[in-house]
Amino acid sequence: MSSSTTLHIWEERAAAMRFSNQAIINGKPVTGDGPLMQAINPATGQILTELASCSKDNIDQAVASARSAFESGVWSQMPRQERKKRMLRLAELITEHTDELALLETLNMGKPISDSLAYDIPETARTYAWYAECIDKQYDEIAPTDADSLATITREPLGVVAAVVPWNYPLLMASWKVAPALAAGNSVILKPAEQSPLSAIRLGELALKAGIPAGVLNIVPGTGPVAGQALGLHMDVDCLAFTGSTATGKRFMEYSGQSNLKQIWLECGGKSPHIIFDDCPDLDRAAMAAAIGIFNNQGEVCIAGSRLYVQSGIYDVFMEKLEQCAIKMQPGNPLDPASMMGAIVDERQLARVMQYVESGKQEGATLRMGGARAHHDSGGFYLEPTIFEVANQTLTIVQEEIFGPVLAVSRFDTEEEVLAQANASHYGLGSGLWTADLSRAHRVSRKLRAGLVWVNCYFDGDVSVPFGGVKQSGFGRDKSLHALDKYTSLKSTWFKLQ
Ligand code: NAD
């Protein structure tokens, strides 16, 4: 099948698509009390559908339904085999609906359909399946107390968990929170981002179909300042797991202090350094990884390698190779399976990214390629892959998270110099380095202040491996068994033995 034929098929499917557009509270569709929101297709600027926006009252209803489901034990006390079976069924349903869910992600936030199909949806399904499998495989502890007593340390679900998530990987980011929270026995309220609510609503429908009882997974589309804030300030939400910008993450810390001291877990922004040493074992692979590291998903990736550091001895040859890779990643129609980059999520984000491009030019960075909008006639929000060369680390484009396809490249001479530059950031999420020297790989990866380090690769990941940051990139870890710590509390029980 040629790519244009396939594009045609996806366009037909998109035209025939019907969107679920209501909140799901206590297992029922609910027309939110807030003003209707619009879901926009970033590839065309056209409205896909209008949809519910939850008010504070709707959030109160969702929390009440989650609490009541939790207290009833319908999920929290369900036999483990049964809870596991239903979560596995949800994973199967996600897989069965791969095409539909992939299309929803692509239409709603502009990522290439090939990425939605190959990555977002399979990884989402795998995340639910992986945590489902944990349900009957985790043991509690007995402390080494003296012979006259027994102290058990047991994990208990927290109760009502709220998840507030961004738009860049709508279903996948949600799954990293919803799946472990459900597996632990909690009831969950998911608030998708305003830009990308459609797949979350569909997830809520599939969860009901999988047998996850009403009230256990509520979906509350709505705005951050109304629905997000109402969850943050709610007196009966026990835990709030957030992925999004550092600025909003800080608000959630305040909401917690102003309300019930709910646990807050933050996966926030990043400005990840990607370092290429002179002895890089494979310059071609590193150049492709550097390009994918910033242009994949239109650069709307929290772990994007947005600060590239290239050692002087290979700088010129590496930049040539990088440019060749970047040229291949021009933005195209997200429904075309041949597109490697799609459209920026909305007009506001595009304007924000363009402001950074302007600031790069004005502050003296050298524009090596890109920097302009593309496909104006489509009505969509496209930007060329953009590479700046910088001589000064204080530039705004080096310091601030852009969340778009804009790379700042610096030349360096020594390991000490590049480590100081790499760590000179408020953020500490991802980082990468390429070297053939094993000792250097260990030395540098230990000194990088980041939650994730990739050595001779970039972006590798698996649900079994923790994901998260340090400094203002947040705290707590998504993925792996460690994520379960966020959604459980430890109970210590003493038994006096006679
Ligand atoms: P955002 O902070 O604007 O929004 C994220 C979520 O918070 C949305 O659901 C939004 O409705 C809600 N929100 C916004 N303002 C709020 C408020 N005042 N009160 C309560 N809730 C509010 O972020 P975004 O633009 O959607 O996403 C981009 C950001 O997400 C980037 O900074 C990116 O790095 C970060 N991100 C981080 C990770 C990670 O794992 N560390 C992953 C993906 C994205």
Side-chain angles (χ1 to χ4, degrees):
M1 209 181 280
S2 79
S3 100
S4 68
T5 320
T6 319
L7 167 62
H8 180 63
I9 289 171
W10 283 110
E11 281 179 333
E12 278 183 354
R13 287 186 188 172
M17 193 89 180
R18 294 288 165 267
F19 302 101
S20 300
N21 57 3
Q22 291 183 290
I24 300 179
I25 298 175
N26 204 22
K28 301 268 181 326
V30 170
T31 311
D33 297 335
L36 285 179
M37 298 194 298
Q38 293 179 337
I40 307 280
N41 181 352
T44 62
Q46 303 286 311
I47 299 173
L48 293 164
T49 183
E50 292 195 312
L51 73 143
S53 172
C54 287
S55 65
K56 182 177 172 302
D57 283 351
N58 298 137
I59 296 300
D60 288 343
Q61 291 155 11
V63 176
S65 108
R67 173 63 61 192
S68 148
F70 182 74
E71 297 300 340
S72 76
V74 64
W75 181 251
S76 53
Q77 303 296 321
M78 182 182 276
R80 285 174 183 269
Q81 290 293 328
E82 186 58 29
R83 185 155 19 115
K84 170 175 143 180
K85 199 169 109 190
R86 295 187 193 197
M87 266 189 74
L88 283 174
R89 180 67 191 131
L90 176 57
E92 278 168 15
L93 284 170
I94 291 169
T95 302
E96 285 166 21
H97 289 78
T98 296
D99 284 4
E100 178 199 351
L101 293 169
L103 190 52
L104 279 179
E105 297 295 54
T106 290
L107 287 176
N108 205 178
M109 62 68 64
K111 71 171 65 205
I113 188 73
S114 47
D115 288 353
S116 305
L117 284 170
Y119 180 65
D120 292 63
I121 309 307
E123 281 301 309
T124 299
R126 184 160 139 66
T127 302
Y128 284 99
W130 198 86
Y131 282 105
E133 289 293 353
C134 295
I135 290 175
D136 59 359
K137 293 178 187 63
Q138 283 231 292
Y139 292 74
D140 288 326
E141 298 170 35
I142 294 176
T145 52
D146 289 338
D148 63 349
S149 57
L150 171 74
T152 60
I153 304 164
T154 48
R155 278 176 187 270
E156 296 191 338
L158 296 172
V160 176
V161 173
V164 176
V165 296
W167 42 261
N168 59 340
Y169 293 87
L171 273 182
L172 188 58
M173 292 297 109
S175 76
W176 290 359
K177 297 174 190 324
V178 174
L182 285 179
N186 298 285
S187 295
V188 178
I189 300 162
L190 170 63
K191 194 203 89 58
E194 322 33 1
Q195 296 90 339
S196 60
L198 298 178
S199 58
I201 297 173
R202 198 68 189 104
L203 174 78
E205 293 174 341
L206 294 177
L208 288 167
K209 197 170 167 189
I212 294 178
V216 172
L217 177 59
N218 301 276
I219 313 292
V220 290
T223 66
V226 176
Q229 175 167 314
L231 285 167
L233 287 171
H234 207 288
M235 294 300 287
D236 205 24
V237 169
D238 298 297
C239 165
L240 196 139
F242 171 76
T243 296
S245 63
T246 294
T248 308
K250 289 182 181 182
R251 282 178 189 265
F252 275 107
M253 300 291 285
E254 290 174 15
Y255 297 153
S256 172
Q258 287 162 14
S259 56
N260 62 343
L261 223 53
K262 60 180 66 60
Q263 293 184 36
I264 301 285
W265 300 106
L266 302 179
E267 298 282 357
C268 297
K271 191 74 188 174
S272 302
H274 194 173
I275 305 167
I276 321 294
F277 285 102
D278 277 347
D279 65 348
C280 168
D282 186 338
L283 283 186
D284 291 316
R285 215 158 54 79
M288 185 46 92
I292 290 176
I294 182 66
F295 301 128
N296 182 251
N297 212 47
Q298 305 72 245
E300 298 160 333
V301 184
C302 52
I303 49 174
S306 50
R307 292 185 290 148
L308 184 68
Y309 295 93
V310 185
Q311 203 162 11
S312 296
I314 52 161
Y315 188 89
D316 293 333
V317 57
F318 188 83
M319 289 304 289
E320 286 284 314
K321 288 178 187 291
L322 175 67
E323 213 168 343
Q324 290 313 310
C325 297
I327 283 166
K328 293 182 199 142
M329 298 190 71
Q330 296 302 322
N333 183 343
L335 289 178
D336 186 343
S339 296
M340 290 178 74
M341 198 161 81
I344 303 288
V345 71
D346 63 14
E347 196 156 18
R348 196 164 136 252
Q349 180 67 7
L350 177 63
R352 196 171 160 263
V353 177
M354 290 305 294
Q355 268 177 13
Y356 279 112
V357 171
E358 282 314 306
S359 95
K361 290 180 191 163
Q362 278 164 22
E363 292 179 14
T366 306
L367 183 62
R368 173 115 184 187
M369 70 174 278
R373 283 191 68 166
H375 308 306
H376 267 286
D377 49 347
S378 66
F381 317 123
Y382 297 91
L383 178 62
E384 295 173 347
T386 300
I387 300 178
F388 279 107
E389 293 176 282
V390 298
N392 181 344
Q393 296 295 301
T394 62
L395 262 56
T396 308
I397 58 166
V398 180
Q399 291 300 318
E400 295 185 12
E401 182 182 46
I402 299 175
F403 223 57
V406 180
L407 179 64
V409 190
S410 309
R411 182 196 290 259
F412 72 93
D413 290 312
T414 67
E415 188 179 305
E416 293 69 31
E417 176 194 2
V418 77
L419 261 170
Q421 292 178 341
N423 285 335
S425 170
H426 296 307
Y427 296 111
L429 191 52
S431 61
L433 65 117
W434 294 72
T435 179
D437 178 342
L438 190 61
S439 295
R440 170 146 70 188
H442 281 283
R443 202 167 52 232
V444 175
S445 54
R446 282 183 188 172
K447 287 184 180 163
L448 282 166
R449 292 195 60 203
L452 298 142
V453 186
W454 287 283
V455 179
N456 296 335
C457 58
Y458 202 82
F459 274 168
D460 292 39
D462 187 78
V463 62
S464 61
V465 181
F467 183 103
V470 297
K471 298 199 269 183
Q472 293 191 36
S473 291
F475 48 84
R477 292 293 179 265
D478 279 337
K479 303 165 81 177
S480 82
L481 293 178
H482 293 283
L484 292 165
D485 295 341
K486 301 196 294 189
Y487 306 113
T488 49
S489 67
L490 294 180
K491 177 174 278 178
S492 304
T493 311
W494 283 89
F495 298 87
K496 194 72 187 167
L497 307 181
Q498 300 302 329

